[in-house]
């Protein structure tokens, strides 16, 4: 009886473990689903926004009375006089401009778009003015305690407004990384170019310069991504972890390959390929264009790019041909020599 009961309990235990394993697999699959990750990231984004704005508003509210006192003393206005009341407008006048810029950056960083240079200048100018007016009296008295007390709130506001756009940018990158890890994202650089809107899904096939090269490409057993590291395919994880040098080389391939005839690449498009911000994408494009300009001259590069032609003689060989691969890896969408 004992051996029979023992075997039966083992089977029951095995059945329970199998059910638990299946349940755990389902929970894990759901928890790592791109839509679930996106929802979790949005919740975190909302919490970050609330905390950031709370700190910014409290910091500016603390500075308001000090700025009003500075304005009233500077104008020698008596208490409750019109000049004294007008001094209360000084801090809101500066703070509202700062809030407008931060609100704009809250949206642009959400979609990984860079704001104009004047946006940062406006933030720095308004925060610098607030800091100067808030600490003027303390610096005049050279009181370390007062200097520290009146310096902390403006500095907290400054750090928050500088960090918030980058944090929102990386939260968006986390959503894209989750989609890539799930297999729903692009796999190769060429597929990423199509997904980012850089290349059309059905590009025109460009005839090879030599018949031998065209025959060699047609006989290829496996389609390839953009030629890098000996023509090997790049997995999406490798694109997301590519270092700046490799990214620039890939951007040069995109430019020289004529994937977008007569259309300039944008920082947002390149950033979407490598899971970077639009600002980083623009830097990669500028560096790639600079290197191509050093090699052949900016005018030549621009003309060739407008014509959708390759500008690198070594890149024009059969080993450097471009093959765009669509979502179905078995279908070659286009070949450019």
């Amino acid at each position: 009886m004992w051996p029979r009961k023992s075997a039966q309990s083992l089977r029951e235990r095995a059945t329970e473990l199998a059910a638990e394993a299946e349940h755990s697999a389902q929970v894990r699959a759901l928890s790592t689903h791109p839509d679930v990750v996106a929802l979790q990231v949005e919740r975190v984004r909302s919490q970050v926004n609330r905390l950031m704005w709370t700190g910014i508003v409290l910091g500016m509210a603390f500075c308001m009375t000090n700025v009003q006192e500075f304005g009233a003393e500077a104008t020698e206005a008596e208490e409750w006089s019109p000049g004294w009341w007008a001094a209360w407008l000084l801090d809101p006048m500066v703070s509202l401009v700062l809030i407008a810029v931060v609100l704009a950056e809250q949206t642009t960083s959400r979609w990984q778009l860079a704001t104009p240079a004047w946006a940062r200048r406006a933030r720095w100018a308004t925060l610098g003015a607030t800091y100067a007016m808030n600490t003027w009296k303390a610096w005049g008295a050279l009181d370390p305690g007062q200097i520290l007390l009146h310096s902390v709130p403006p500095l907290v506001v400054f750090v928050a407004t500088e960090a918030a756009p980058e944090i929102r940018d990386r939260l968006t990158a986390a959503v894209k990384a989750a989609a890539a890890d799930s297999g729903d994202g692009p796999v190769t650089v060429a597929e990423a170019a199509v997904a980012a809107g850089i290349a059309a899904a059905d590009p025109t096939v460009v005839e090879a310069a030599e018949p031998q090269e065209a025959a060699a490409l047609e006989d290829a057993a496996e389609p390839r991504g953009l030629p890098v590291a000996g023509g090997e395919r790049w997995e999406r994880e490798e694109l997301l972890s590519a270092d700046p040098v490799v990214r620039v080389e890939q951007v040069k391939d995109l430019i020289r390959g004529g994937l977008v005839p007569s259309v300039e690449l944008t920082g947002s498009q390149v950033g979407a390929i490598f899971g970077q911000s639009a600002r980083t994408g623009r830097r990669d494009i500028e560096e790639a264009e600079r290197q191509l300009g050093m090699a052949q001259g900016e005018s030549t590069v621009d003309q060739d790019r407008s014509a959708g032609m390759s500008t690198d003689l070594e890149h024009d060989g059969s080993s450097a041909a471009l093959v765009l691969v669509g979502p179905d890896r078995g279908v070659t969408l286009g070949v450019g020599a």
Side-chain angles (χ1 to χ4, degrees):
M1 295 296 294
W2 287 107
R4 186 174 302 175
K5 289 183 178 180
S6 178
Q8 183 178 0
S9 63
L10 286 175
R11 285 195 295 271
E12 292 176 353
R13 180 58 178 162
T15 302
E16 293 177 359
L17 290 175
E20 291 177 0
E22 182 179 359
H23 177 70
S24 299
Q26 293 175 350
V27 171
R28 182 179 182 279
L30 290 175
S31 64
T32 57
H33 191 279
D35 293 338
V36 176
V37 173
L39 178 60
Q40 294 173 340
V41 170
E42 288 304 319
R43 289 174 178 171
V44 173
R45 190 193 304 276
S46 298
Q47 295 173 359
V48 169
N49 287 337
R50 284 196 297 267
L51 293 174
M52 285 287 187
W53 276 112
T54 301
I56 290 172
V57 171
L58 290 177
M60 290 189 298
F62 180 88
C63 296
M64 181 178 295
T65 56
N66 297 315
V67 173
Q68 190 276 341
E69 183 179 352
F70 166 81
E73 291 182 356
T75 57
E76 298 181 352
E78 297 181 0
E79 190 174 0
W80 310 112
S81 66
W84 184 87
W85 283 108
W88 283 104
L89 302 177
L90 187 57
D91 184 79
M93 177 185 66
V94 177
S95 298
L96 288 176
V97 175
L98 173 63
I99 291 175
V101 175
V102 175
L103 279 174
E105 290 184 332
Q106 180 173 329
T107 300
T108 56
S109 60
R110 166 69 176 82
W111 301 105
Q112 295 186 317
L113 300 174
T115 51
W118 274 104
R120 170 164 288 190
R121 294 170 187 167
R123 279 195 290 108
W124 285 28
T126 52
L127 286 169
T130 300
Y131 178 83
M133 293 185 293
N134 194 56
T135 60
W136 185 270
K137 188 175 181 179
W139 280 107
L142 292 179
D143 187 338
Q146 290 296 317
I147 292 174
L148 178 61
L149 175 64
H150 295 298
S151 295
V152 169
L155 291 178
V156 168
V157 174
F158 173 78
V159 172
T161 56
E162 284 292 311
E166 297 294 335
I167 292 175
R168 298 187 188 104
D169 184 289
R170 301 317 297 167
L171 287 174
T172 300
V175 175
K176 293 183 178 181
D181 291 339
S182 69
D184 297 335
V187 176
T188 64
V189 175
E191 292 169 355
V194 174
I198 296 179
D202 52 350
T204 304
V205 177
V206 181
E207 297 295 336
E210 297 293 336
Q212 294 83 355
E213 296 175 1
L217 289 171
E218 292 176 358
D219 294 339
E222 289 291 335
R224 294 182 295 147
L226 289 180
V228 64
E232 299 177 358
R233 293 180 61 87
W234 275 64
E235 296 300 328
R236 181 58 177 166
E237 292 77 9
E238 296 176 313
L239 293 177
L240 294 174
S241 60
D243 58 48
V245 175
V246 174
R247 291 201 309 268
V248 170
E249 290 300 319
Q250 289 294 320
V251 173
K252 289 166 63 177
D253 282 334
L254 290 173
I255 295 173
R256 292 179 297 196
L259 292 181
V260 204
S262 302
V263 177
E264 291 291 335
L265 295 176
T266 66
S268 300
Q269 292 170 336
V270 174
I273 293 179
F274 299 101
Q276 302 292 327
S277 66
R279 185 180 303 172
T280 302
R282 286 199 305 274
R283 285 200 295 263
D284 292 341
I285 293 175
E286 292 172 358
E287 178 61 20
E289 291 179 340
R290 186 188 68 80
Q291 293 183 13
L292 290 174
M294 290 176 59
Q296 302 172 14
E298 291 291 342
S299 59
T300 304
V301 174
D302 292 338
Q303 293 174 2
D304 290 343
R305 286 181 62 188
S306 300
M309 300 172 58
S310 172
T311 59
D312 190 343
L313 296 178
E314 296 180 357
H315 194 75
D316 289 339
S318 59
S319 62
L322 303 178
V323 179
L324 296 183
V325 183
D328 183 359
R329 295 190 184 187
V331 178
T332 301
L333 298 177
V335 179

